[in-house]
Amino acid sequence: MDIGGHVAALGGGPGADRRLWRISDDLGALRAQVRTFAGRAGLSGDRLDDLVLAANEAAVGVLTQGGGGLLTAGADPLGVSVDVLGGEAGPRTGLLFGPPGPGPGRGGLWLIQELCDEVSLDDLGGRLRLTMFVARR
Amino acid sequence: MTEPIELSSRRLPGGVVVISVAGELDAHTGRHLEAYLGTVRERPDDRLVIDLSEVPFLDSGGLRVLLDAHVRAREHASRVHLAAPRRQAARVLTLTRADRYLRVHETVDEAVSAALADAPGEDPGGTS
């Protein structure tokens, strides 16, 4: 899979560590897995909380689209990356909402951009991929 | 599924209801809180204190429930007070600027005092 950016740089690098999970309704378990991975990779405090929340918001976006998806986490000396790849089916409105506020379907991508140091969103042949990076600092 | 949240409430004299939430408040568990808020309100202008001291995680779905509660309270000239959010929840409230709408207090006692100071049935003012 061509994953680009920070995660691609990890692909064959020495000491690169990556994990992949399928996104399901069990968001609590997914958050726990991302937290454990990112904590072991050196994130802590607000940085760790921010990445876990960003990954959660992206996963919620995938679930909102009505399809399955994959979450990949990777670590390098600079920080931790999370890629979320959505399914092919469904509308693409899950991630594309505005600032948080009352009413459904708001907050996800806006919040992710506030939480992460780098965010990119691209189209992989009909599937949306969101890449997020949080530096160790 | 995400672990269920635990919800409890106590009604104080003066139309103040303290709701205690224990567990991660996300898009799924937020639905339970939303339904619960509807059951504990005896009057539409009840003032709600939501104790977040046992909420280790808050996401935009959980935040939406709190903001919806705020909107509903404002429609009845009432107000929602949040009490004792942990670090992650406090950060979400700040980052999203939701703390401009929701009154956030360091302790439950402070939140209850503030809620009691809100005159029932009168527009409490502030940002709507």
Side-chain angles (χ1 to χ4, degrees):
Chain A
M1 182 167 61
D2 174 20
I3 46 182
H6 276 280
V7 182
L10 296 172
D17 187 13
R18 297 183 60 193
R19 294 287 186 279
L20 182 145
W21 298 280
R22 188 169 298 282
I23 296 170
S24 73
D25 283 344
D26 195 348
L27 291 171
L30 185 65
R31 288 194 295 265
Q33 287 159 334
V34 171
R35 178 174 293 280
T36 298
F37 177 88
R40 286 178 179 159
L43 291 190
S44 61
D46 285 347
R47 302 260 83 194
L48 178 57
D49 287 344
D50 289 354
L51 183 74
V52 172
L53 178 56
N56 172 86
E57 296 295 327
V60 170
V62 166
L63 294 173
T64 303
Q65 291 178 35
L70 298 172
L71 186 150
T72 307
D76 70 8
L78 297 177
V80 180
S81 295
V82 169
D83 269 20
V84 169
L85 184 65
E88 293 182 12
R92 292 182 165 193
T93 55
L95 283 169
L96 305 176
F97 9 87
R106 298 168 63 93
L109 185 56
W110 183 92
L111 188 53
I112 288 167
Q113 290 173 321
E114 293 291 310
L115 295 166
C116 299
D117 296 305
E118 296 175 22
V119 178
S120 64
L121 184 66
D122 55 346
D123 188 328
L124 296 182
R127 304 177 76 180
L128 283 182
R129 183 189 64 192
L130 182 68
T131 303
M132 302 163 279
F133 175 77
V134 171
R136 285 197 179 88
R137 289 187 191 165
Chain B
M1 297 291 288
T2 302
E3 289 293 312
I5 52 172
E6 294 180 16
L7 301 164
S8 60
S9 65
R10 57 192 171 102
R11 175 170 289 274
L12 305 178
V16 174
V17 183
V18 180
I19 296 120
S20 299
V21 185
E24 297 187 321
L25 190 52
D26 65 13
H28 291 315
T29 60
R31 294 186 196 126
H32 299 294
L33 175 59
E34 189 166 37
Y36 189 75
L37 292 176
T39 65
V40 299
R41 272 198 182 98
E42 290 182 1
R43 290 166 47 97
D45 62 349
D46 277 343
R47 283 150 290 159
L48 302 182
V49 171
I50 302 178
D51 178 1
L52 298 177
S53 61
E54 298 300 322
V55 175
F57 177 83
L58 174 68
D59 78 354
S60 66
L63 177 61
R64 181 189 62 77
V65 174
L66 300 177
L67 288 167
D68 282 347
H70 159 77
V71 169
R72 197 159 297 116
R74 293 286 291 160
E75 289 170 354
H76 298 283
S78 186
R79 172 173 280 164
V80 171
H81 296 264
L82 303 183
R86 292 190 187 183
R87 187 188 67 192
Q88 190 271 347
R91 181 163 168 75
V92 170
L93 292 167
T94 303
L95 270 177
T96 58
R97 301 174 189 86
D99 55 0
R100 294 165 58 186
Y101 305 93
L102 299 158
R103 294 300 172 97
V104 183
H105 307 271
E106 288 191 9
T107 68
V108 174
D109 286 346
E110 286 179 18
V112 168
S113 295
L116 287 169
D118 292 340
E122 293 180 10
D123 190 330
T127 309
S128 58

